[in-house]
Amino acid sequence: MAHDTQKRRAPFIVIEGLDRSGKTTQTARLHEQLKANGVEASLIKFPDRSTPIGKMIDAYLRSVSELDDRAVHLLFSANRWELASKIESTLLAGTTIICDRYAFSGIAFSAAKVSPAEPSSPLLPFEWCRAPDIGLPAPDLVLFLDITPEQARARGGYGEERYEKEEMQARVRALFGQIGSEMQRGSEGAENMPRWVVVDAGREMEVVERNVWDLVYPLVEEGIAEPVGKLWTR
Ligand code: DGP
């Protein structure tokens, strides 16, 4: 690599996406391809269902347990904070992190919740949903794998877990759109936000894979000169 690795750290890449977008396959392929190119890379995934907090989240997602919406939102966030210092030290040690879901899913899935009696009113305000994740290690690049509800249906529809319903997914998609446009439109503080790129995940898997690679590899090759940022702070 051309750069002075002592001065630069590795990039933190987050891949977000709707259920059925191929996100898990794409993150795994990217990880494999990086390793095949001799890049030190670590693949992490949220929620991390292996920790005690993650086990509570897993039971909730599989509807084995019921939890208050606010309580489970804070558990998802705590599950990310559990790994925060590890993420930072890994990047500083020169290992690229590929992360399957992060704080953006945290906002989108919780702010998409509505009461069955009043489907037009959100249960949890957007800003309330963002608050617990403020200050987490900031990614250097977020790729949002986007598919339409029609494409998701054509891929066999959603699974059995709690949020895998078409109306919920449509609200989640709109919220991801809102989060992405906040980052792109040059709003106050947006200059310190991670770069957000929408990837059309409705295309052939190999085409999406190439698109993802072309976005990620230059960052890995160059390294990052700035310290690890803090999400939604200045
Ligand atoms: P996955 O393992 O990628 O299929 O994610 C599990 C489900 O949990 C998926 O429907 C998205 C949802 N999810 C992921 N992160 C969060 C979060 O922070 N908050 C909420 N409410 N849902 C999340």
Side-chain angles (χ1 to χ4, degrees):
M1 276 183 213
H3 61 80
D4 178 351
T5 44
Q6 298 209 313
K7 290 208 185 96
R8 289 176 179 252
R9 62 170 174 88
F12 179 19
I13 314 288
V14 166
I15 304 198
E16 288 280 10
L18 299 165
D19 293 304
R20 309 301 291 168
S21 63
K23 175 182 55 58
T24 299
T25 307
Q26 291 295 343
T27 47
R29 297 288 281 261
L30 175 61
H31 185 223
E32 279 161 25
Q33 223 183 333
L34 285 170
K35 284 193 302 182
N37 280 270
V39 176
E40 288 277 345
S42 165
L43 176 60
I44 60 177
K45 172 169 174 52
F46 292 111
D48 174 353
R49 302 188 194 215
S50 69
T51 70
I53 292 172
K55 289 191 168 70
M56 292 171 76
I57 294 171
D58 179 59
Y60 171 81
L61 286 172
R62 291 187 295 109
S63 300
V64 172
S65 71
E66 291 303 319
L67 286 168
D68 176 83
D69 291 307
R70 285 175 178 76
V72 78
H73 180 76
L74 297 172
L75 289 178
F76 273 108
S77 177
N79 187 236
R80 289 183 279 276
W81 279 108
E82 288 185 290
L83 268 192
S85 55
K86 179 81 190 302
I87 289 174
E88 185 153 358
S89 59
T90 301
L91 298 172
L92 294 177
T95 300
T96 295
I97 295 182
I98 306 300
C99 182
D100 179 342
R101 292 200 192 282
Y102 200 50
F104 315 99
S105 279
I107 302 176
F109 281 85
S110 287
K113 292 183 173 185
V114 291
S115 110
E118 264 185 276
S120 57
S121 34
L123 285 175
L124 307 174
F126 186 93
E127 283 308 328
W128 188 90
C129 293
R130 188 205 313 258
D133 285 333
I134 292 174
L136 276 174
D140 301 295
L141 174 67
V142 184
L143 301 182
F144 173 61
L145 303 192
D146 190 29
I147 50 163
T148 63
E150 294 72 34
Q151 288 165 331
R153 216 179 295 136
R155 287 181 180 184
Y158 302 110
E160 295 297 312
E161 285 201 330
R162 190 178 282 267
Y163 300 144
E164 296 182 318
K165 314 272 182 303
E166 199 163 318
E167 321 78 70
M168 175 72 178
Q169 296 285 327
R171 290 194 299 273
V172 168
R173 184 168 184 240
L175 281 153
F176 272 126
Q178 183 181 337
I179 296 166
S181 59
E182 267 187 17
M183 297 213 198
Q184 280 166 346
R185 70 175 175 224
S187 60
E188 208 194 333
E191 64 280 4
N192 292 324
M193 298 255 201
R195 184 170 160 231
W196 178 281
V197 179
V198 179
V199 172
D200 175 1
R203 298 169 296 169
E204 293 288 316
M205 196 174 84
E206 288 73 23
V207 177
V208 178
E209 191 178 333
R210 166 59 64 101
N211 192 176
V212 167
W213 179 256
D214 289 345
L215 288 159
V216 169
Y217 195 63
L219 285 186
V220 173
E221 246 191 332
E222 280 297 307
I224 307 286
E226 296 78 35
V228 181
K230 292 190 189 302
L231 200 52
W232 295 309
T233 60
R234 286 202 250 159

